[in-house]
Structure formats: C-alpha cells, structure tokens
Amino acid sequence: VHGDSLTVLQAPEFVSFQKGDWPVSGEKIPDLVALTMGFSVQEDLSWPGLQAGPLFQRPRANVLVVVRGVDSLALPQSVASYPLENPVPFTLDSVAETVHSLFAEDTPVVLQLAPSEERLYMLGKANAVFEDLPVTLQQIRARLSQDGSVLASLPLNSLSRNAEADLLFLSEVQVLHDITALLQRHRHLAKDHSPDLYSLELSGLEELSRLYGQDSPQYRDATSILASVLQKFGEDVYGLYGNSAVVEVVTVKTFEAPLTRKSRSILESKQIV
C-alpha cells in the first residue's frame, strides 16, 4: 500500500540522497530543505536519506511542491522516494527567513504559493517578475483563456473548463507552467549567486476528490495530468538553474491538522466571486 511520500524529482550530484525506505516526518521537511541548501539547522536531522554535502557548494534553488489529496503520484524519473510519516502541515517560512538574512543584499527569489485567500506570499526584490501570476479565480479564468494557456496543450478528457473545481486544478498546472516560462524569460534570476526558494502547495486534486470522489474519471485524469506536468516542471527548473536545483514533491492524502494560515478552500473564499 502506498502511503504519503516525499519524492526527490531532481538533485545535483553534490546533494546526495540515498535510496532507501527511511521514513521522514512532516515537521522535519523544513529542516531537510534547509540542509539541502547548505544552511545549518538547530537539531540534527539524523536521517540516513540525506548525506552531508560539500560545505562550499550549495544548490542554486530548492523547489518544494506539496500536492494535497493524493498519497502518491507516478513519478518514474525521480532520484529517490521516501515514506512520509506524521503529515502535519508545515511551511518553509523559517528557510525563507534564513535566505533573506544571509542574502539581504542580493535578490533571492522566495516564492510561496498556498491555497488560501492571498495565495501568493512573496518577499524581496526579485519577485516583481512573478507579480503577474494569476492568484484569484477571476485572474485564473482570464489566464486560462490567454496565449500560452495550458488548456491548448493538455488532454482534458473528463475535466471541464466550466467547472470551478476543475478550473482551480487547471490553474495550478498553469502556475507551474508560468513559473518556468518566467524563469526562461528572466534567466538572470537563476544565475545570480543567491539561492532561490519555491514552496508551492497545490490543493486542486483535493477539491476534485471532495467533489467527484477518488474513483471519478475527473480525479483519475487530473492525477495523471499532474504527474506528467510535475515531471516536466522538475526537468525544466533543474535545467534553468544549470542542473543545480533540488526539486521535491510531497504527496499528502490529508494533513492531520488545519494549517496555521487561513486555509479555507479558495473556492469558499468570498472575495473571488
């Protein structure tokens, strides 16, 4: 039986993830991300899945994608995958603060996307580039009908471009697409020496399973779309950062406690009608 998991999609060779079934606990993920970026953490992680890397080499970016509503995705090209225990909600705020305090003079990208009313948390100068990412349902609808919309290239099958939950899911696919497109257009961001941090939490699958059920064609189609989109997203980001990015995917059927941030579903929040 598959349980929740942490899958490393991409990592440079100097960040050495070992293959094995060592479980990692949800609340330890921020420390794990910090360690991959060459930052120190307060408590020793003592987890055999990650071996200490060279002190003077740090990846240019860490990209963590949390997918809610599914315990595993078919990601055959990954570096390693580990069982996730104790799936408590977590944020990478502590890692973001470290990036900003260590690289205050530079322009690190720190981008956090979460399924709440203000869905994008951004800090720092570099992020002006990402200000046009669509975040409200209204912007999402508009974005999906413009040039470069993923609707043109995705096999929608049972998904509808008129149903709100389907649109929310498709918008998250769109955001992944737009992040790589923006990085392609502003390549200097991936080339400067301050490390970048992306924390993207996707709740579209969770909404689809709530609305249609996990045996529905919509949920099945969305799951396979997301798996192939994430595989490509990982490859694209890794390449844009000169093969020096760590890309992880955490799949969680349900978090064990409510998120500390306002975590109402985007479909329930009032301001986006």
Side-chain angles (χ1 to χ4, degrees):
V1 179
H2 285 298
D4 298 335
S5 58
L6 164 74
T7 300
V8 182
L9 272 187
Q10 300 282 347
E13 281 178 8
F14 60 83
V15 179
S16 81
F17 284 97
Q18 309 298 306
K19 285 191 190 308
D21 265 345
W22 302 290
V24 61
S25 180
E27 75 270 10
K28 290 294 184 194
I29 287 180
D31 281 356
L32 181 60
V33 170
L35 288 169
T36 66
M37 296 183 80
F39 302 150
S40 54
V41 294
Q42 284 181 327
E43 280 178 48
D44 184 26
L45 193 62
S46 62
W47 180 66
L50 179 65
Q51 288 197 334
L55 282 174
F56 302 108
Q57 217 173 359
R58 67 170 91 229
R60 291 191 192 159
N62 189 300
V63 184
L64 175 73
V65 184
V66 175
V67 180
R68 290 165 54 167
V70 67
D71 53 14
S72 67
L73 289 168
L75 299 164
Q77 310 290 287
S78 58
V79 174
S81 192
Y82 308 99
L84 182 74
E85 286 188 336
N86 188 24
V88 293
F90 56 86
T91 74
L92 296 188
D93 294 352
S94 58
V95 191
E97 281 160 21
T98 304
V99 170
H100 281 293
S101 60
L102 289 180
F103 297 91
E105 301 305 305
D106 296 306
T107 52
V109 176
V110 175
L111 185 70
Q112 292 175 280
L113 178 79
S116 72
E117 286 155 41
E118 49 294 329
R119 298 186 67 216
L120 217 48
Y121 301 89
M122 295 193 287
L123 298 154
K125 294 174 283 201
N127 290 324
V129 165
F130 296 97
E131 277 169 2
D132 293 335
L133 285 176
V135 288
T136 66
L137 269 181
Q138 208 171 353
Q139 291 169 330
I140 285 161
R141 281 208 189 91
R143 176 69 191 98
L144 286 169
S145 62
Q146 291 161 359
D147 284 353
S149 163
V150 293
L151 292 182
S153 57
L154 283 181
L156 291 185
N157 299 336
S158 64
L159 294 170
S160 158
R161 53 184 74 200
N162 298 317
E164 265 186 5
D166 304 34
L167 273 179
L168 173 67
F169 168 76
L170 293 166
S171 79
E172 293 180 336
V173 172
Q174 184 71 51
V175 165
L176 294 173
H177 171 276
D178 287 352
I179 286 172
T180 47
L182 286 166
L183 281 172
Q184 267 157 348
R185 217 167 22 216
H186 302 272
R187 285 177 180 260
H188 63 280
L189 290 178
K191 291 199 163 64
D192 63 14
H193 77 277
S194 57
D196 296 344
L197 178 69
Y198 300 80
S199 164
L200 314 171
E201 188 175 322
L202 311 181
S203 60
L205 273 186
E206 194 173 53
E207 294 287 350
L208 291 174
S209 81
R210 197 177 290 155
L211 192 63
Y212 302 116
Q214 300 209 334
D215 296 326
S216 63
Q218 289 93 335
Y219 180 80
R220 279 202 304 272
D221 289 342
T223 304
S224 79
I225 287 172
L226 189 59
S228 62
V229 163
L230 282 173
Q231 196 85 62
K232 182 175 186 324
F233 174 74
E235 287 162 16
D236 290 348
V237 169
Y238 187 66
L240 284 164
Y241 278 97
N243 297 356
S244 180
V246 179
V247 184
E248 306 103 337
V249 176
V250 168
T251 46
V252 177
K253 197 73 161 261
T254 43
F255 276 121
E256 286 185 352
L259 275 161
T260 46
R261 295 198 174 116
K262 288 182 287 191
S263 123
R264 286 193 302 176
S265 147
I266 184 178
L267 299 182
E268 294 163 24
S269 46
K270 299 279 177 284
Q271 62 176 60
I272 47 181
V273 182

